[in-house]
DNA sequence: TTGGCTGAGACGACCGGTCATATTGGACGC
DNA sequence: GCGTCCAATATGACCGGTCGTCTCAGCCAA
């Protein structure tokens, strides 16, 4: 039962956002009685924290360190994976890390800390793969790879905002073209 | 009285987001009785739409077309203006366009349309200034300026997400350095 | 019988919106 | 200029609904 609640929670938070996703919506989706919720979670916030942690894992940051794939190709595949997920949602929902930052982070220190770590880790992993790409001579030698990694997190999160505003995958094209054909070329 | 409500609405929506900003919070902040609200606005959503339009105007996109300033300097000044505003909020709040996109756009077509237009206009203006900079020889000749304009909107919105997650202005440094010293250099 | 777990529904707070009544401002007539 | 009337606006209590959380009666296993 607990597992069903976590999955349902993640889906509802992702789809509606934290405030608009009611505990009742989550338990309905999980097919469990609403009263049972507090037998498993201390609060709605506690579930949100667990859902965010699960989401972070599903970003598959490990792929960015996969030595069997060329660094630049890894980075591209990573963003393609993320893009394809959003395409599967019909260009809705965005990224849970970005969504929660926007809706919750200013007012909730626990969640803000978690998001800071999550986004920071992602940027770091990107920076790592970029450094490898630089060593391999795939990207210009003068780039500060840690900084570019951070910039790409920004560019990606913003791309998702545009995808949602436009309800179109076209901003992804901008991201891939400018990132790989201009910035990293 | 109506003006007070609009200003209070904009402040509350910006600070708390659409769902968490109650009509009562807005009227309290405006110093008007709650019942008066519906004499001036049909609904909370109607106020949000007006607040968003006001916010769009306050982005001062006209500055991007100011012929008395060099194009690249205009662009930089434009982002510095936006950055300074966020610094004034203590690295909280983000951009209302991005915030509403994240929280509301998936579920509200009217607001989604408005946000699409708002972000699109901004990208277009940036693209225009970039094209001028390119003609002036300030940025590389091979760049697709319209696409870069769109990419910069993404990079900026994502930068604001990181600023909020980290509660730190450092992501702005990444933005300015990578944008002006790498991407447009 | 006892102890632990479960879950339906109660609880108090909050929400957007309504509406009967009160107040105000402007137009008109003297 | 002043008084009256009416339309417009203001007001705050109320409405029905939703919300996160908690409680306690019921159930089940040992």
């Amino acid at each position: 039962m607990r597992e069903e609640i976590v999955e349902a929670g993640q889906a509802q938070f992702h789809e509606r956002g934290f405030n608009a996703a009611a505990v009742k919506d989550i338990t309905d989706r999980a097919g469990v009685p609403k009263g049972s919720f507090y037998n498993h979670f201390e609060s709605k916030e506690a579930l949100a924290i667990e859902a965010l942690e699960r989401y972070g894992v599903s970003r598959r940051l490990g792929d960015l360190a996969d030595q069997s794939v060329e660094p630049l190709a890894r980075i591209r595949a990573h963003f393609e994976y993320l893009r394809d997920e959003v395409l599967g949602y019909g260009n809705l929902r965005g990224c849970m890390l970005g969504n929660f930052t926007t809706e919750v982070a200013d007012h909730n220190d626990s969640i803000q800390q978690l998001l800071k770590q999550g986004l920071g880790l992602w940027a770091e992993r990107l920076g790592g793969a970029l450094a490898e790409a630089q060593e391999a001579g795939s990207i210009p030698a003068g780039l500060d790879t840690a900084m570019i990694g951070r910039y790409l997190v920004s560019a990606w999160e913003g791309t998702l905002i545009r995808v949602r505003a436009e309800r179109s995958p076209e901003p992804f094209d901008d991201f891939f073209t400018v990132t790989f054909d201009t910035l990293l070329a």
Side-chain angles (χ1 to χ4, degrees), chain A:
Chain A
M1 183 185 285
R2 189 183 196 279
E3 182 59 29
E4 276 91 352
I5 297 178
V6 177
E7 286 181 13
Q10 192 177 314
Q12 288 290 303
F13 287 137
H14 199 185
E15 197 175 306
R16 297 155 165 265
F18 179 71
N19 286 309
V23 168
K24 186 168 191 314
D25 296 324
I26 291 163
T27 52
D28 284 351
R29 190 180 180 113
V32 310
K34 178 164 176 271
S36 303
F37 182 89
Y38 295 94
N39 296 326
H40 302 279
F41 297 95
E42 191 181 312
S43 63
K44 183 179 172 185
E45 175 189 324
L47 173 63
I49 285 168
E50 183 151 344
L52 278 169
E53 285 165 346
R54 291 270 191 118
Y55 185 82
V57 170
S58 76
R59 301 306 83 198
R60 289 175 22 184
L61 300 188
D63 292 357
L64 288 169
D66 181 355
Q67 300 298 319
S68 68
V69 184
E70 215 215 17
L72 208 50
R74 265 182 244 157
I75 294 165
R76 184 187 283 271
H78 169 68
F79 284 115
E80 283 171 352
Y81 162 71
L82 298 181
R83 177 202 61 196
D84 292 344
E85 191 183 56
V86 174
L87 295 182
Y89 294 133
N91 305 316
L92 302 172
R93 296 190 189 184
C95 159
M96 254 178 87
L97 300 181
N99 297 346
F100 268 78
T101 299
T102 297
E103 201 188 340
V104 182
D106 284 358
H107 308 286
N108 184 310
D109 293 347
S110 305
I111 289 183
Q112 177 261 331
Q113 279 294 309
L114 190 60
L115 295 166
K116 177 179 171 179
Q117 284 163 24
L119 291 169
L121 179 64
W122 184 17
E124 195 181 303
R125 292 293 163 80
L126 278 169
L130 286 163
E132 284 183 51
Q134 194 169 62
E135 270 193 51
S138 308
I139 64 173
L143 296 183
D144 177 335
T145 50
M147 189 180 287
I148 298 286
R150 296 194 297 269
Y151 191 85
L152 289 188
V153 168
S154 296
W156 183 257
E157 289 293 328
T159 293
L160 293 180
I161 287 180
R162 288 182 54 233
V163 165
R164 285 174 106 179
E166 295 176 27
R167 293 189 186 169
S168 156
E170 278 167 33
F172 287 129
D173 298 333
D174 296 338
F175 177 85
F176 282 100
T177 302
V178 175
T179 297
F180 293 99
D181 297 350
T182 305
L183 187 58
L184 300 180

